[in-house]
Amino acid sequence: MTTAQQTTANLQNSQKSTGPKSPQGKAKASANATKHGILSTRLFLDDENPHEFHLLLDDLQVSLHPVGGLELALTERIAVSLWRQRRLVRAETAAIELGRRLDAKANRQQIEFALGMTYPNQVSDEDLTLSKEVSGDYLASCSNMVKESLHLDRHALAANDLGHLEQIAPTLHQALLCEAEEAGTPPPKFVQAYKGGLRGWTDDVVNGCRAEVAAIRRSAVIAEVAGLVQSSHSAPIQQELICKYQTALDNELYRAIRALREMQEWRLKTLDNAATAVE
């Protein structure tokens, strides 16, 4: 139960923080909870250009030919409804894009759950991009080197037998020639200088290829599941809210258009009656 002393203390503390006092501060605070802006009562949000609204209003005035203050006011109502419908489209698009982003924690957790991935083997940025960046030729080359290594004679490798490597593992042999050329050293000397000789070089390259192939295949599987996650988020998160707001905007637009037409018909009819009376 709250005591009188606690109540007094709460009242005193509440007076210490009364929020922003300046008009600028209050305006900024009023937008603190704005996420998509479709329910905002403000005509212009921070990322909206008032000039674009006035261009829309000018176009409507040219098309609808309003006369007098009341018809102008109805034309402005039509412009506001159309402006907010544009905002709705932007909000809907933003909701879809944000929902589909693979850097979102919830999306990554959904991918990890689907694949049974647990710490520390969680989805990384490299997992989401590796399979797209790696060419098929590179993957085939790595796979071939791993397969060729299974048929090599370990004793021949220990003896630095380049002929054996060329005959049994041509892809590995070509990789060795390229690496020796980059080092500016003849292949025999390159192998002799390498720690563990030809056998050591082959082990290092094949182990690296195995790791690359595993990473690429892992990335491909993750990419496939990620595509399914993105597809499941290809609709707005707040679909029901957006549909209701769209209906409300449509009704407001139709009412404003109908009222403007009725006002213009009444004006023209009044002018006709006045002209008839004069005659």
Side-chain angles (χ1 to χ4, degrees), residues 88 92 238-248 250:
L88 179 66
E92 187 174 8
Q238 297 174 317
Q239 178 70 55
E240 184 178 356
L241 171 63
I242 289 178
C243 288
K244 288 181 178 179
Y245 191 65
Q246 178 68 66
T247 301
D250 288 342

Side-chain angles (χ1 to χ4, degrees), residues 45 148 273:
L45 300 181
E148 291 174 352
N273 291 339

Side-chain angles (χ1 to χ4, degrees), residues 42-137:
R42 299 162 58 197
L43 182 56
F44 303 117
L45 300 181
D46 293 340
D47 61 341
E48 293 177 338
N49 187 354
H51 179 64
E52 293 181 3
F53 172 79
H54 292 298
L55 288 177
L56 172 62
L57 180 59
D58 291 343
D59 288 341
L60 289 173
Q61 289 176 347
V62 171
S63 302
L64 300 176
H65 307 291
V67 175
L70 185 55
E71 291 184 16
L72 284 171
L74 291 171
T75 303
E76 288 182 0
R77 279 182 58 186
I78 294 173
V80 170
S81 295
L82 291 174
W83 181 255
R84 286 178 172 161
Q85 284 191 345
R86 291 183 181 182
R87 178 183 298 167
L88 179 66
V89 172
R90 292 197 304 272
E92 187 174 8
T93 302
I96 293 173
E97 291 303 318
L98 288 174
R100 286 168 53 87
R101 287 177 57 173
L102 293 176
D103 58 346
K105 183 177 180 180
N107 288 349
R108 294 204 180 192
Q109 288 177 339
Q110 192 172 351
I111 296 170
E112 291 163 358
F113 177 78
L115 295 175
M117 299 170 63
T118 58
Y119 180 85
N121 298 315
Q122 295 160 296
V123 176
S124 65
D125 292 339
E126 185 179 4
D127 290 328
L128 298 172
T129 58
L130 182 60
S131 63
K132 296 179 181 179
E133 296 175 352
V134 174
S135 67
D137 291 341

Side-chain angles (χ1 to χ4, degrees), residues 125-258:
D125 292 339
E126 185 179 4
D127 290 328
L128 298 172
T129 58
L130 182 60
S131 63
K132 296 179 181 179
E133 296 175 352
V134 174
S135 67
D137 291 341
Y138 177 74
L139 177 58
S141 178
C142 287
S143 299
N144 285 337
M145 285 190 275
V146 172
K147 292 177 182 178
E148 291 174 352
S149 68
L150 300 176
H151 304 288
L152 289 171
D153 186 325
R154 304 291 290 175
H155 297 291
L157 294 179
N160 293 338
D161 188 347
L162 293 177
H164 173 71
L165 182 70
E166 182 179 8
Q167 181 180 3
I168 304 300
T171 309
L172 274 168
H173 182 260
Q174 185 60 41
L176 175 64
L177 296 181
C178 292
E179 196 168 335
E181 183 178 358
E182 290 179 0
T185 307
K189 290 186 178 181
F190 174 81
V191 168
Q192 290 174 1
Y194 197 92
K195 184 178 180 180
L198 181 58
R199 183 173 176 174
W201 178 88
T202 302
D203 288 343
D204 289 345
V205 171
V206 171
N207 288 336
C209 285
R210 285 197 179 99
E212 286 283 271
V213 170
I216 294 170
R217 289 176 178 171
R218 165 190 163 100
S219 178
V221 173
I222 290 175
E224 183 178 356
V225 176
L228 297 175
V229 171
Q230 286 183 307
S231 297
S232 67
H233 291 181
S234 292
I237 300 173
Q238 297 174 317
Q239 178 70 55
E240 184 178 356
L241 171 63
I242 289 178
C243 288
K244 288 181 178 179
Y245 191 65
Q246 178 68 66
T247 301
L249 285 177
D250 288 342
N251 292 336
E252 176 66 22
L253 177 61
Y254 296 149
R255 283 196 298 267
I257 292 174
R258 184 171 62 250

